[in-house]
Amino acid sequence: MKDVYILAIETSCDETSMAIVKNGNECVAMVVLSQMNTHSEFGGVVPEIASRMHTENITMVLESTLNKAGMSVNDMDAIAVTFAPGLLGSLLVGLEFAKVLSFVYEKPLIKVNHIAGHIYACNLVDKIQFPMLALVVSGGHTDLLIMERDYKFKLLGSTLDDAIGEAYDKVARVIGLPYPGGPNVENYAKQGTHAYDLPIPMKDDSYNFSYSGLKSNIINLVHNQKQKNIEINPYDLACSFQNVAIDQLVRKVDKALTEYGIKNMTVAGGVSANKYLREQMQALAQKHDANLIIPEMKYCTDNAGMIACAAFPLFKNNSFASLSDSATSLDKLYT
Ligand code: KG4
Ligand code: ZN
């Protein structure tokens, strides 16, 4: 079969990224332009600023991706783009740009769900084997699901309130660490011990998760200690939070591996960049004699490489989008 090259565009949040991926599993070139420094001044992503910056940078990101690959848009077999979920204005910048490329260069357009992208990033490491248990942990998602075949997902459970990444970001703010909170809390956690006694959420039998109680508990703790003029140890608090937050994931993944006897698993989404989580999942994989795929760091946080991977099965299936299709801030990949 002839090699297939897909140019993918990802602008769902605060990264302007493009990548060229060969046959859905080999990244030829990727550029990720992060707006993190701009948004960190505001303590989080400002949607209007994000879409403006995507608009300013997107042409430059295309040029530099093509230069890196030594290819032109004419060499592509399709243009893929994230259409959901995410910030609507940001998504639209990427989608409209993709439509222009598709129209001008007469290439098929493929719409990709961002979460599918995080899961399909596995293919950059090793081909996904079905069924695969996938734990999706990001700023907006905490889901446990079984992928039965391409684009066939069975949801086992989800967060009942906040996503784990959201909790990391909130805890970072409470202990005075800058945005993005996740990596900073992880860094502090490494230097602390589990000295704070925090409530253990979701000890039930379900596959659901909960992070708002843990988050509120930490906010109240910091507030009460401040009122009593007692200093909080931010390293210990970060460590205590991380242990409790990740223990919840470990318990549910352990249960699912036992109940379903699945031998392939992945952890996807921005929080999968967390080393402690990666170690815990590696230990679980060993315990259950399962094969764990976690993409390298640069493919864990938002990037266009993963979008091209998720576009590949849609390309093979001729599932192309039309120029009248729109972006949407919410899209359910699985129900
Ligand atoms: O997938 P992602 O880049 O964007 C969304 O689709 O949401 O995930 C971003 C989330 C943020 O909440 C960020 O704090 C968290 O992933 N994150 C981490 C780490 N790196 C990123 N959380 C914990 N530890 C990390 N090392
Ligand atoms: Zn993401």
Side-chain angles (χ1 to χ4, degrees):
M1 194 183 119
K2 178 188 163 293
D3 287 331
V4 172
Y5 290 91
I6 296 181
L7 169 70
I9 303 172
E10 154 66 40
T11 61
S12 67
C13 192
D14 61 341
E15 267 97 21
T16 317
S17 177
M18 288 196 205
I20 295 171
V21 171
K22 182 177 159 186
N23 299 331
N25 59 18
E26 191 187 318
C27 192
V28 178
M30 182 165 92
V31 173
V32 181
L33 194 79
S34 173
Q35 307 171 359
M36 202 190 297
N37 291 343
T38 306
H39 296 291
S40 68
E41 287 175 35
F42 303 94
V45 179
V46 184
E48 177 59 26
I49 294 177
S51 23
R52 274 194 228 173
M53 290 185 77
H54 287 308
T55 312
E56 282 163 20
N57 295 326
I58 199 157
T59 313
M60 184 176 73
V61 171
L62 173 66
E63 267 175 25
S64 113
T65 309
L66 293 171
N67 282 344
K68 263 191 168 183
M71 299 178 90
S72 91
V73 180
N74 279 317
D75 301 322
M76 299 300 122
D77 293 282
I79 311 293
V81 61
T82 309
F83 80 101
L87 302 171
L88 190 58
S90 293
L91 287 164
L92 279 170
V93 177
L95 181 65
E96 295 307 316
F97 193 81
K99 281 184 192 175
V100 171
L101 291 181
S102 155
F103 182 73
V104 172
Y105 290 91
E106 297 180 355
K107 304 288 177 188
L109 179 69
I110 304 173
K111 289 195 323 180
V112 176
N113 176 294
H114 180 83
I115 299 301
H118 276 303
I119 297 170
Y120 273 99
C122 282
N123 277 337
L124 292 168
V125 182
D126 206 354
K127 190 167 172 23
I128 296 176
Q129 302 288 330
F130 303 117
M132 177 174 79
L133 185 73
L135 176 68
V136 179
V137 278
S138 72
H141 290 259
T142 312
D143 302 323
L144 186 60
L145 49 109
I146 296 172
M147 192 175 183
E148 290 164 340
R149 53 185 154 83
D150 275 322
Y151 279 92
K152 177 82 181 134
F153 303 100
K154 175 177 158 183
L155 183 66
L156 300 182
S158 247
T159 181
L160 300 176
D161 38 63
D162 297 347
I164 183 170
E166 211 178 332
Y168 262 96
D169 294 337
K170 186 71 196 182
V171 168
R173 207 180 294 186
V174 170
I175 57 182
L177 298 174
Y179 174 85
N184 291 325
V185 171
E186 177 180 17
N187 210 1
Y188 264 44
K190 262 186 234 152
Q191 302 168 60
T193 57
H194 191 153
Y196 290 95
D197 196 15
L198 300 169
I200 309 286
M202 302 305 283
K203 283 200 238 166
D204 66 344
D205 242 10
S206 78
Y207 286 113
N208 292 326
F209 308 93
S210 167
Y211 285 96
S212 79
L214 179 60
K215 178 188 77 181
S216 307
N217 199 279
I218 290 180
I219 294 172
N220 292 339
L221 179 84
V222 172
H223 183 73
N224 290 341
Q225 301 292 76
K226 246 188 207 154
Q227 279 190 331
K228 291 183 199 154
N229 267 331
I230 302 174
E231 283 223 2
I232 284 279
N233 180 323
Y235 303 101
D236 289 350
L237 190 55
C239 178
S240 311
F241 160 75
Q242 176 159 282
N243 283 355
V244 174
I246 289 181
D247 169 69
Q248 205 184 132
L249 303 175
V250 171
R251 272 186 284 121
K252 307 276 166 150
V253 171
D254 191 14
K255 178 175 148 65
L257 287 170
T258 307
E259 187 171 334
Y260 293 94
I262 292 179
K263 294 295 177 198
N264 301 292
M265 61 187 278
T266 188
V267 187
V271 183
S272 66
N274 185 287
K275 286 211 186 66
Y276 178 65
L277 173 60
R278 292 165 91 98
E279 282 162 18
Q280 294 294 309
M281 290 297 143
Q282 198 62 59
L284 274 185
Q286 243 160 24
K287 175 178 167 190
H288 291 273
D289 198 19
N291 175 35
L292 171 69
I293 306 180
I294 310 184
E296 31 168 317
M297 294 292 199
K298 65 178 175 185
Y299 298 119
C300 284
T301 44
D302 290 350
N303 68 89
M306 67 185 200
I307 302 303
C309 294
F312 187 67
L314 299 174
F315 177 87
K316 283 196 299 185
N317 213 18
N318 290 328
S319 298
F320 299 126
S322 114
L323 292 181
S324 59
D325 282 349
S326 193
T328 163
S329 54
L330 292 171
D331 176 62
K332 283 232 173 275
L333 182 62
Y334 30 79
T335 44

